[in-house]
Amino acid sequence: MSSATVPLLDDTVPFGDEEDLNPNGTPKRLSHPYVTFFHVFFRGAALATYLFWTLFNDSFIKCFLLVVFWLSADFYLVKNLSGRLLVGMRWWNYVDDDGRSHWVFESKKGEAGYESRVNPHEARIFWTALVVCPAVWGLFFVVALFGFKFKWMLLVMIALSLNGANLYGYIKCNFGANANLKATTTDFVRSQVLKNAVNLMSQPSTSSAPRGNTTVA
């Protein structure tokens, strides 16, 4: 499994296509208000449902399903929409023809004009929700663990997994983006060439050469 950082794909809506000015010509406080709202809403709804459900209903199954629904909606939104639109980042995974899994971390950070095209208010809301919510779920995990509430601990672990995956992915996009791009690609190519050479020398001379691996450009 390897990772690489590449520019945003061609199917991504480029920066500058959205209108960031009000009709009177003043800059908008939020360039993507609906995306920003749901970025906070889904996460808050999952936390609120977990925290206050027992005040209105004692069914754990209903609470479990509703919280997982909020978490799933949040995971999809953050991974595919809010990260790309609010901070210009996206992470994803693909499997090549040889069955190897590759993690790709995309970022606009470092490109000319990047800072001017990212709304600072939206970026602040994005990162605050991204960091605070896993921390709160971590607190819930400790409470459930020491309270011997194992069925609730299972739900918290699901929340930590989904929230933590997005947190890790965007931290990787933000801090491991530009500085490691050349080194990551070079190391990947070098390791694949060495591996193919060893496999070729270890095979009988009558066998065919192994098929080359797909690399991340």
Side-chain angles (χ1 to χ4, degrees):
M1 182 171 64
S2 64
S3 63
T5 308
V6 297
L8 290 177
L9 301 179
D10 292 337
D11 64 343
T12 301
V13 178
F15 286 119
D17 286 357
E18 302 89 359
E19 180 58 56
D20 293 335
L21 298 178
N22 292 312
N24 59 4
T26 60
K28 292 181 179 179
R29 182 173 178 82
L30 296 178
S31 303
H32 310 90
Y34 296 110
V35 175
T36 305
F37 169 77
F38 283 108
H39 176 77
V40 176
F41 173 78
F42 287 141
R43 296 188 156 228
L47 289 170
T49 302
Y50 177 87
L51 191 59
F52 300 111
W53 178 264
T54 54
L55 298 178
F56 307 99
N57 197 302
D58 59 355
S59 174
F60 171 76
I61 298 300
K62 292 180 180 179
C63 179
F64 185 95
L65 294 176
L66 186 57
V67 171
V68 170
F69 171 78
W70 294 130
L71 292 171
S72 301
D74 168 73
F75 181 83
Y76 177 85
L77 178 78
V78 176
K79 182 177 180 296
N80 297 288
L81 291 176
S82 64
R84 175 172 63 83
L85 294 176
L86 304 186
V87 293
M89 300 176 188
R90 186 174 69 174
W91 65 272
W92 54 286
N93 172 272
Y94 75 94
V95 179
D96 62 19
D97 294 336
D98 295 322
R100 293 183 176 87
S101 179
H102 301 274
W103 294 93
V104 181
F105 302 96
E106 304 173 315
S107 176
K108 282 282 188 178
K109 188 176 182 180
E111 293 189 6
Y114 165 81
E115 296 296 336
S116 63
R117 288 176 287 182
V118 170
N119 187 303
H121 301 292
E122 292 180 341
R124 190 177 302 112
I125 294 172
F126 175 85
W127 286 109
T128 300
L130 197 71
V131 173
V132 170
C133 289
V136 176
W137 284 114
L139 178 61
F140 289 164
F141 177 83
V142 173
V143 173
L145 177 63
F146 286 97
F148 300 102
K149 300 178 180 179
F150 297 112
K151 63 179 182 180
W152 292 100
M153 190 170 63
L154 173 63
L155 180 57
V156 174
M157 291 175 64
I158 295 174
L160 283 173
S161 299
L162 294 176
N163 277 204
N166 269 323
L167 178 61
Y168 173 81
Y170 285 110
I171 287 177
K172 188 74 173 178
C173 289
N174 189 54
F175 296 105
N178 301 312
N180 297 329
L181 173 58
K182 184 176 181 180
T184 301
T185 306
T186 303
D187 291 342
F188 177 76
V189 173
R190 184 187 300 114
S191 64
Q192 294 303 313
V193 171
L194 179 60
K195 182 177 180 180
N196 286 341
V198 171
N199 290 338
L200 180 62
M201 290 186 294
S202 63
Q203 290 179 349
S205 58
T206 57
S207 64
S208 59
R211 184 176 60 180
N213 295 314
T214 304
T215 60
V216 179

